[in-house]
Amino acid sequence: MKALVVDDDRVLADIVSFTLRREGFQVVQAGDGEAALKRLAEEQPDIVILDVNLPKAVPALDGFTVCQRIREKSNIPVILLTVREDEDDIVYGFKVGADDYVLKPFSPRQLVARVQAVLRRVGASTEAHSKQAGSLSFDPDRREALVEGREPVSLTALESRLLEYLMLYPGHILTNQDLIDHIWGPGGGDRDMLRQLVRRLRMKIEPDPAQPSLIETVAGRGYGLRKTG
Amino acid sequence: MKALVVDDDRVLADIVSFTLRREGFQVVQAGDGEAALKRLAEEQPDIVILDVNLPKAVPALDGFTVCQRIREKSNIPVILLTVREDEDDIVYGFKVGADDYVLKPFSPRQLVARVQAVLRRVGASTEAHSKQAGSLSFDPDRREALVEGREPVSLTALESRLLEYLMLYPGHILTNQDLIDHIWGPGGGDRDMLRQLVRRLRMKIEPDPAQPSLIETVAGRGYGLRKTG
DNA sequence: TGAACCTGTGATAAAGCTGTGATAATGAGG
DNA sequence: CCTCATTATCACAGCTTTATCACAGGTTCA
């Protein structure tokens, strides 16, 4: 299991690295955004721990931007480190695709817990996708959905999150609120947005969007993926 | 078996939810205390997993207070999640009526063990979603009722609550007031509404709605599910 | 017998939910 | 700067769900 630690603060980076190594991780470091992207390509880590507060030496490459770049080209989970307790930061972090955040100061134990939690979650989700719900499969790297016997369709970030989450529980109905919370984060979405998102996803993956066969609706409750796709 | 997970940390809530779902639970989430109380009334879960460290957005509604409110109005078991190892917290947790606590960080296995221990202690059977009574079965996920030898019928939210409650005590008569309180909450329904609801449910599930064989009426008292369906 | 009460039934109106289309805001890339 | 893709917001039709009113038939009991 390989981790990439991105932080300009050498001391903090060393603490994080030490903590992770003790847990059996192989660790690579980077001191700024540019180096991070370079080592990301070279090392292919399994997870990135990223300080949002990077030096301004390289303009326009703060933590959020780096996170965004990472997410554009891969699906490697990212955990953000932030001193600010400003909720905007966290929301923005999720917006650029972060998987979790840890507020500084943090205890080593806390960090390890988050890292393992995220890895477990990602592991779970890829497992689900490999299981292939019915005639559906999804490639999170390319963000492409594949319906049996048709061309692959590329999905947007939100569509991917929705599909991925639905595929975690094929045959089960997920509550509207549950989906909203998971896709947009707490307090970040409403039912209207969810409806539109489901609609767009259906347009892309349903053979006949007018009569959905993959994503089923339970009025007043939520949506789910049909098992007999 | 339905669980309510209350946590403002989306990631943690998702982990807990995933873990429980994998064990066959139906899971609902809430992001703060207010939502928790609302969904508690709506969803009637069998157990609550509650993070004591809730956001201060709603003042005076931290985890302990929420726990207290829950215990005031119902007997649903509550498990507290706490980061603090402070023994006072635990003591205080028990004081407001918690049934057990789990210290963060925890492993999924650990959580499941606690949940099942508490449920066993309370005397609930940890059975799968679909409930059965005689020739009747009900899928709360889809809100579909299945009468032996016929097509599944989809029920509305209220109809589901009624049927679910009746199925909890097959062969017993439940008081009108009891049913009303349980379905609409205290002070929320009247006998007329109940009559209509029973009527609509009968229309859907009774082979011959004019001569009910499943739901029996005891004049002046209430309704019940016949055991010899 | 007749009043009070209860139940089943029907009809109707208000409220809510979903799918749909159109349109603005937002952000990325040339 | 402009253009395109993505996302958010608004409005609306059709349907379902729910609450409310009205009424007939049955039972109980004084």
Side-chain angles (χ1 to χ4, degrees):
Chain A
M1 202 52 69
K2 197 189 285 187
L4 170 61
V5 176
V6 187
D7 204 324
D8 63 310
D9 181 340
R10 181 58 66 87
V11 177
L12 190 55
D14 280 348
I15 294 174
V16 172
S17 299
F18 174 76
T19 307
L20 290 177
R21 285 208 180 92
R22 200 173 45 184
E23 293 295 320
F25 282 80
Q26 190 184 350
V27 180
V28 234
Q29 291 190 4
D32 58 60
E34 204 170 9
L37 294 174
K38 211 172 107 196
R39 312 216 73 185
L40 184 85
E42 291 168 3
E43 301 282 350
Q44 305 277 352
D46 300 285
I47 190 167
V48 180
I49 290 89
L50 176 62
D51 195 332
V52 292
N53 201 17
L54 288 180
K56 298 289 181 285
V58 183
L61 257 188
D62 68 334
F64 295 118
T65 316
V66 173
C67 177
Q68 204 163 13
R69 293 281 171 82
I70 294 174
R71 196 37 43 84
E72 276 164 13
K73 57 180 72 171
S74 81
N75 209 37
I76 298 172
V78 176
I79 292 184
L80 293 182
L81 299 183
T82 169
V83 276
R84 289 166 280 185
E85 293 180 69
D86 193 0
E87 196 167 309
D88 289 348
D89 264 28
I90 296 165
V91 170
Y92 192 64
F94 277 121
K95 217 163 181 176
V96 294
D99 291 84
D100 201 353
Y101 57 92
V102 175
L103 293 176
K104 291 190 286 191
F106 53 85
S107 71
R109 188 194 263 199
Q110 198 178 346
L111 176 70
V112 170
R114 295 296 183 107
V115 168
Q116 289 180 339
V118 166
L119 286 176
R120 198 157 39 221
R121 185 157 69 103
V122 170
S125 82
T126 52
E127 180 190 345
H129 119 262
S130 71
K131 266 182 196 164
Q132 292 207 351
S135 58
L136 243 177
S137 66
F138 177 68
D139 176 356
D141 270 349
R142 304 184 162 285
R143 289 214 293 239
E144 277 182 346
L146 191 72
V147 186
E148 210 168 3
R150 298 205 306 159
E151 289 295 299
V153 219
S154 72
L155 303 183
T156 71
L158 289 184
E159 287 158 8
S160 300
R161 273 209 203 181
L162 171 59
L163 181 58
E164 234 177 326
Y165 196 39
L166 288 176
M167 287 178 87
L168 266 181
Y169 312 100
H172 284 230
I173 302 298
L174 297 169
T175 308
N176 287 319
Q177 196 55 53
D178 200 351
L179 288 165
I180 291 168
D181 286 346
H182 185 273
I183 295 172
W184 284 275
D190 60 33
R191 249 209 310 254
D192 220 356
M193 288 155 67
L194 178 61
R195 236 177 11 188
Q196 295 297 339
L197 186 60
V198 169
R199 173 174 159 69
R200 289 196 303 264
L201 183 56
R202 273 177 174 158
M203 289 294 214
K204 287 192 179 176
I205 68 171
E206 290 278 4
D208 177 10
Q211 279 165 8
S213 61
L214 300 174
I215 302 174
E216 68 178 316
T217 303
V218 175
R221 203 163 165 75
Y223 298 88
L225 218 56
R226 226 180 285 273
K227 236 175 183 171
T228 61
Chain B
M1 198 53 60
K2 196 189 285 188
L4 171 61
V5 175
V6 187
D7 204 323
D8 64 308
D9 183 336
R10 185 175 69 84
V11 177
L12 189 56
D14 279 350
I15 294 170
V16 172
S17 300
F18 176 77
T19 306
L20 291 176
R21 284 210 180 91
R22 203 171 40 186
E23 294 296 321
F25 283 79
Q26 190 184 356
V27 180
V28 244
Q29 291 188 5
D32 59 59
E34 204 170 9
L37 294 174
K38 209 173 112 201
R39 312 211 76 191
L40 184 84
E42 289 168 3
E43 301 281 350
Q44 309 273 353
D46 301 284
I47 191 169
V48 180
I49 289 88
L50 175 63
D51 194 334
V52 292
N53 200 17
L54 288 181
K56 298 289 179 287
V58 183
L61 258 188
D62 67 334
F64 295 117
T65 315
V66 173
C67 179
Q68 204 163 12
R69 294 279 174 82
I70 293 175
R71 195 40 40 86
E72 276 165 13
K73 57 177 74 170
S74 81
N75 211 34
I76 300 170
V78 176
I79 292 184
L80 293 181
L81 300 182
T82 170
V83 276
R84 290 167 277 187
E85 295 180 68
D86 193 359
E87 200 166 307
D88 289 346
D89 264 28
I90 296 167
V91 171
Y92 192 63
F94 279 122
K95 216 164 182 174
V96 293
D99 293 85
D100 202 350
Y101 61 93
V102 175
L103 292 176
K104 293 191 286 191
F106 52 86
S107 72
R109 198 179 289 174
Q110 199 178 341
L111 176 70
V112 170
R114 296 295 184 102
V115 168
Q116 288 181 339
V118 167
L119 285 177
R120 200 162 358 164
R121 186 162 9 128
V122 173
S125 62
T126 52
E127 285 199 354
H129 304 182
S130 179
K131 298 175 180 173
Q132 274 213 349
S135 59
L136 246 176
S137 67
F138 177 67
D139 174 4
D141 229 21
R142 282 176 184 63
R143 297 210 286 233
E144 277 181 345
L146 191 72
V147 187
E148 212 167 357
R150 298 206 305 161
E151 289 294 297
V153 216
S154 71
L155 306 183
T156 71
L158 290 184
E159 287 158 8
S160 300
R161 271 207 208 171
L162 171 59
L163 181 58
E164 237 176 324
Y165 197 37
L166 289 176
M167 286 177 86
L168 270 181
Y169 310 96
H172 285 225
I173 301 298
L174 297 169
T175 308
N176 286 318
Q177 196 53 52
D178 198 356
L179 288 165
I180 291 168
D181 286 346
H182 190 272
I183 295 172
W184 283 274
D190 60 36
R191 212 173 307 183
D192 214 356
M193 287 153 68
L194 178 61
R195 234 173 10 178
Q196 294 296 339
L197 186 60
V198 169
R199 171 174 159 69
R200 289 196 302 263
L201 182 55
R202 274 177 173 157
M203 290 293 218
K204 287 192 178 175
I205 68 171
E206 291 278 5
D208 177 10
Q211 278 163 10
S213 61
L214 299 174
I215 302 174
E216 66 179 319
T217 303
V218 175
R221 239 191 115 57
Y223 299 88
L225 216 56
R226 227 181 285 273
K227 232 173 183 175
T228 61

